[in-house]
Each structure stands twice: as C-alpha cells, then as structure tokens.
Amino acid sequence: MKISILSLFPQMFEVFNHSIVGKARMNNYVDIEIINIRDFSNNKHNKVDDYPFGGGAGMLMSVEPIYNSICYARRNLDGRVIYLGPRGDTFNQNKAYELSDNNHLIFLCGHYEGIDERSYNFIDEEISLGDFILTGGEMAAIPIIDSIVRLLSGVINKNSLDNESFTNDLMDFPQYTRPREFMGIAVPNVLLSGNHKEIDKWRREESLKITRKYKRYLLKDK
Ligand SMILES: C[S@@+](CC[C@H](N)C(=O)[O-])C[C@H]1O[C@@H](n2cnc3c(N)ncnc32)[C@H](O)[C@@H]1O
C-alpha cells in the first residue's frame, strides 16, 4: 500500500519511523510519502494561507497549493483523497479495515482555520477523529494511519488481529503474564490449567462480559 500525507508540518510524522509503522516501512509493507504542501505554493514567499473573505479570525489554507499537492501525490498512482476534518464520519475499526484495502490513500491535513471550501471539489471523503477540534489534521492522521498500517497483511501476526477489540464486534478478553500472583491478586486458575478448550470458553465469556459492560452497542445479536 502507498500512503501520501499532505501537510504543512511534515516533521510531525517523525513518529512513523518507529514501532510497528516504522518496521512496516522498512519491510516494504507500506510506502509512506510525506509531502509538504508549502512546496506547491505558486506564491514567491511560499505562502499557503490567506485572510478569509468577509473577515473573521485566523487564516485559511488556500486552495491552489492543496490542489497542486494532490495532483503531485497522484502523479504515478491514482489515489483516494481523504481530508481529516470535523465534518466527516467518526473513524472506527471497520473504517480502518475498509481503508486498508486500498492501493493508495492520500491524507490531506488542514491547519489554522481550515481549508478554502473549494478544496472539497478535489477531496473524495472527510474523516473525523471525533466531535472535538484539533489544532491540525496531522493529529488525526497519525492514529488513523497507524490503525490502518497494522492491518496490512504481514505487518502483525494474524492471530493477534483476530482477537483484537472491535474485531467480530467484541472487546478483547483479559490477559495476564508473570508473576502468577501480585499483591494477593492471582491469575485466574483456568489460564494455568493447560486445558485449551476451557481457556477458549473462558475467554469468549469474558469478552462478552466486557463488551456488555463497556460497549453494549456492539452486541447486536449476541
Ligand atoms: C483548528 S482546526 C479548524 C477548525 C474549523 N475552523 C472548525 O471550526 O470546524 C484545523 C484543522 O484541524 C483538523 N481537525 C480539526 N478537528 C478535527 C477532527 N475532529 N478530526 C479530524 N481533523 C480535525 C482539520 O484538518 C482542520 O482543518
């Protein structure tokens, strides 16, 4: 998969040199290209923002550098342009799975007061991180891209993904590691029994219990 990120603050994506995403890049499961929108300004001072017509506080990102950087991102490979913004549907795990099935995703990060409304003519979809306002789309792009990359084939062990929270509309079951007892709190006996049929049964029941308690809306027909 290829991921292009269009941003005025490319240095914020240093985080993608580490952990799972860093390894996925190194092993060529994903090609992440970070494009500085400022490089696509036709203005002699590389200006990418301007005052809003009609007045008002703050600056707005201009449409021309946005359009030019989208064209650049698509130069070799067409791609789905996603604007990170508060109007979009709120991101979730099902959306992460859906997006992980694309060849090329292009994430446009807004900043300041946002983007000139005409930019929407060149955007396929808007995705929100939630009903709150972030300083910039970078803050939303980072967790969204992380959640997509870890679903790409080969990046993470498939068994780990199959049991993860939200997969199959269930939350993950409780897990324990050594020591067997800590401050009088013991690991459930069943997990030490070696009986895998009983362990699977216990885990399934615990998953259901936790889902019922914390995310009841996931349990449509369970
Ligand atoms: C300060 S915000 C602009 C907010 C805009 N004036 C408004 O009130 O809707 C700057 C940028 O952050 C990003 N952003 C803000 N909230 C977001 C959210 N909930 N999800 C995803 N991106 C968000 C968008 O790219 C936006 O252009």
Side-chain angles (χ1 to χ4, degrees):
M1 170 186 263
K2 175 160 186 182
I3 294 179
S4 305
I5 303 169
L6 313 180
S7 165
L8 289 176
F9 295 89
Q11 62 278 24
M12 289 178 76
F13 295 97
E14 211 275 325
V15 68
F16 287 153
N17 291 324
H18 306 280
S19 187
I20 296 284
V21 179
K23 274 195 210 142
R25 291 176 87 179
M26 233 162 49
N27 294 324
N28 295 320
Y29 290 115
V30 65
D31 170 16
I32 299 184
E33 178 182 42
I34 300 157
I35 297 169
N36 191 339
I37 299 173
R38 201 171 291 284
D39 293 340
F40 296 88
S41 160
N42 285 338
N43 184 288
K44 70 173 176 193
H45 301 295
N46 281 354
K47 232 168 99 69
V48 286
D49 57 342
D50 216 328
Y51 296 98
F53 283 122
M59 303 293 274
L60 214 52
M61 283 173 66
S62 312
V63 61
E64 194 180 12
I66 288 177
Y67 172 74
N68 289 341
S69 57
I70 290 173
C71 292
Y72 179 77
R74 283 181 156 155
R75 65 198 180 283
N76 294 325
L77 182 64
D78 200 9
R80 181 162 164 187
V81 180
I82 296 168
Y83 172 55
L84 285 323
R87 286 183 203 169
D89 284 343
T90 303
F91 189 70
N92 62 22
Q93 187 71 2
N94 286 341
K95 191 72 187 176
Y97 270 104
E98 183 203 320
L99 292 179
S100 70
D101 222 15
N102 284 257
N103 287 333
H104 187 196
L105 297 173
I106 301 168
F107 289 96
L108 169 63
C109 305
H111 228 91
Y112 313 124
E113 281 304 314
I115 55 175
D116 183 311
E117 192 70 20
R118 290 167 292 185
S119 310
Y120 279 95
N121 290 297
F122 316 110
I123 289 166
D124 296 312
E125 183 176 4
E126 179 164 351
I127 296 179
S128 168
L129 200 61
D131 288 353
F132 47 83
I133 292 301
L134 295 163
T135 305
E138 291 79 7
M139 299 289 191
I142 290 169
I144 287 174
I145 292 170
D146 176 73
S147 72
I148 294 168
V149 170
R150 61 199 302 290
L151 297 179
L152 299 178
S153 175
V155 171
I156 282 188
N157 182 305
K158 183 156 171 358
N159 284 342
S160 304
L161 293 180
D162 286 347
N163 288 324
E164 259 178 357
S165 291
F166 302 109
T167 306
N168 304 318
D169 291 336
L170 283 175
M171 300 307 284
D172 199 3
F173 44 78
Q175 309 232 47
Y176 301 82
T177 184
R178 283 184 288 191
R180 287 180 176 215
E181 191 175 315
F182 179 69
M183 293 176 78
I185 311 165
V187 172
N189 274 335
V190 63
L191 297 178
L192 310 173
S193 69
N195 182 337
H196 287 284
K197 210 168 150 212
E198 281 303 306
I199 292 173
D200 287 348
K201 185 167 163 264
W202 181 85
R203 286 179 166 168
R204 166 89 186 163
E205 284 166 4
E206 290 298 310
S207 268
L208 276 164
K209 250 193 249 169
I210 289 173
T211 312
R212 213 170 281 128
K213 183 165 176 190
Y214 297 101
K215 305 278 175 187
R216 184 169 269 280
Y217 65 89
L218 292 173
L219 294 170
K220 282 161 237 140
D221 40 39
K222 287 193 178 63

